[in-house]
């Protein structure tokens, strides 16, 4: 389809739902990423994936066939750790074991001064949530790594995301969570700065399957070019939920790359 693209210098890419769904690559995504890089466009990966550490995520992507450098991945998990270090928090972490390893060097002894919530299905039971509630009642800050309503656990099947659990703790404690992942403006700015494009965000495209978490918030406020793909968590008429008209919608990431690189 036609897009309203400007001169493109960089691309921010969502991972889960856009380049892959669980352990399955979206159609032609590996070749599409290679094609995008061949044009000289700078690429960074921005992900709200919190079920596993960045190192495990990197290994998975390489195993799926994607060519990337570890330093190109900007995850909400690493943004959460950065906040914990900056604030000197002793956090109670609602995270899966595969993600907890990223916080192995952080003091997590009580009394906790922050509750950090990611996508942690095995921790979203009454005992864990009540422990988080009590820490918050005792004065801890609430940090939501992100608040997605749902994610694509497999092709065609959605599962509940961490957003509802963050909202439950907000409701129970009358606290508002600090959010560190997409669509926070500061999160996108970390990747833009790394590409050397912080001063020209309008020359950078964001491609993702979530019209709000990927393409809303900071992506909209920074005036990134915003492209939606109809894979992963995408559902019919998601375009209508956009804060402002999108620059384009494509069936797959590969189709988006074909359009964005035409004529280059």
């Amino acid at each position: 389809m036609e897009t309203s693209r400007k001169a493109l210098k960089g691309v921010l890419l969502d991972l889960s739902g856009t380049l892959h769904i669980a352990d399955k690559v979206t159609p032609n995504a590996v070749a599409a990423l290679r094609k995008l890089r061949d044009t000289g466009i700078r690429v960074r990966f921005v992900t709200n994936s919190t079920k596993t550490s960045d190192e495990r995520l990197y290994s998975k992507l390489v195993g799926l066939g994607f060519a990337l450098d570890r330093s190109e991945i900007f995850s909400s998990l690493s943004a959460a750790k950065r906040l914990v270090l900056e604030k000197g928090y002793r956090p109670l972490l609602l995270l899966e074991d595969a993600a907890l390893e990223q916080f192995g060097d952080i003091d997590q002894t009580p009394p906790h001064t922050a509750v950090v919530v990611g996508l942690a299905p095995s921790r979203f039971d009454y005992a864990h949530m009540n422990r988080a509630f009590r820490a918050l009642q005792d004065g801890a800050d609430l940090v939501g790594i992100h608040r997605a309503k749902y994610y694509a656990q497999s092709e065609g099947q959605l599962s509940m995301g961490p957003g509802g659990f963050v909202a439950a703790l907000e409701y129970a404690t009358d606290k508002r969570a600090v959010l560190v992942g997409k669509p926070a403006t500061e999160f996108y700015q970390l990747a833009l700065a790394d590409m050397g494009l912080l001063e020209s965000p309008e020359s950078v495209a964001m491609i993702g399957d979530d019209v709000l978490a990927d393409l809303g918030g900071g992506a909209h406020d920074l005036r990134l070019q915003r492209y939606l793909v109809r894979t992963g968590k995408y559902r019919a008429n998601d375009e209508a939920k956009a804060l402002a008209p999108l620059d384009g919608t494509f069936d797959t990431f590969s189709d988006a790359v074909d359009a964005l690189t035409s004529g280059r």
Side-chain angles (χ1 to χ4, degrees):
M1 64 173 291
E2 292 298 318
T3 67
S4 56
R5 61 187 181 275
K6 303 176 181 66
L8 195 61
K9 297 179 181 179
V11 173
L12 301 178
L13 296 176
D14 174 51
L15 289 172
S16 178
T18 301
L19 268 64
H20 69 95
I21 300 171
D23 294 326
K24 183 177 181 181
V25 175
T26 58
N28 302 312
V30 171
L33 177 60
R34 188 181 309 116
K35 179 178 181 178
L36 184 61
R37 289 191 186 279
D38 287 345
T39 66
I41 292 173
R42 283 164 266 186
V43 176
R44 296 295 184 273
F45 305 88
V46 288
T47 177
N48 274 346
S49 176
T50 61
K51 288 182 69 176
T52 186
S53 69
D54 290 356
E55 290 300 329
R56 288 175 182 262
L57 176 61
Y58 170 68
S59 295
K60 175 178 180 175
L61 293 169
V62 171
L64 289 173
F66 292 107
L68 74 161
D69 189 86
R70 167 67 180 80
S71 65
E72 293 176 317
I73 299 175
F74 288 78
S75 76
S76 56
L77 197 65
S78 60
K81 183 174 182 180
R82 184 178 297 109
L83 179 65
V84 166
L85 290 170
E86 288 174 354
K87 296 287 188 178
Y89 284 141
R90 292 192 308 278
L92 171 60
L93 301 168
L94 293 186
L95 297 171
E96 292 296 310
D97 288 342
L100 283 171
E101 62 189 41
Q102 191 155 330
F103 291 80
D105 58 342
I106 300 293
D107 180 6
Q108 301 170 41
T109 57
H112 299 292
T113 54
V115 173
V116 179
V117 185
L119 179 58
S122 70
R123 266 63 170 182
F124 290 151
D125 54 37
Y126 186 82
H128 284 92
M129 292 290 287
N130 200 44
R131 185 182 176 201
F133 165 77
R134 288 174 176 171
L136 294 167
Q137 288 290 91
D138 288 341
D141 292 337
L142 178 58
V143 178
I145 299 184
H146 65 94
R147 60 186 313 143
K149 295 179 179 178
Y150 48 80
Y151 70 103
Q153 186 172 14
S154 59
E155 193 166 4
Q157 185 177 41
L158 298 180
S159 291
M160 188 174 178
F165 298 94
V166 173
L169 290 171
E170 288 178 325
Y171 177 78
T173 62
D174 291 321
K175 293 194 175 188
R176 185 69 177 172
V178 174
L179 300 176
V180 295
K182 294 181 294 184
T185 297
E186 296 79 7
F187 184 66
Y188 293 108
Q189 288 174 326
L190 290 172
L192 291 172
D194 191 65
M195 288 193 289
L197 296 172
L198 184 59
E199 302 305 318
S200 55
E202 68 282 351
S203 69
V204 177
M206 174 69 213
I207 303 175
D209 66 323
D210 189 323
V211 71
L212 297 179
D214 291 330
L215 308 179
H220 170 263
D221 295 344
L222 290 167
R223 300 179 64 187
L224 302 181
Q225 300 176 44
R226 298 172 301 134
Y227 299 101
L228 182 65
V229 293
R230 299 187 183 97
T231 52
K233 67 172 64 174
Y234 174 87
R235 289 298 180 266
N237 299 317
D238 272 358
E239 299 90 330
K241 301 176 185 176
L243 299 175
L246 301 174
D247 294 284
T249 303
F250 301 93
D251 285 339
T252 67
F253 164 64
S254 179
D255 293 330
V257 169
D258 286 345
L260 294 174
T261 59
S262 63
R264 292 183 72 100

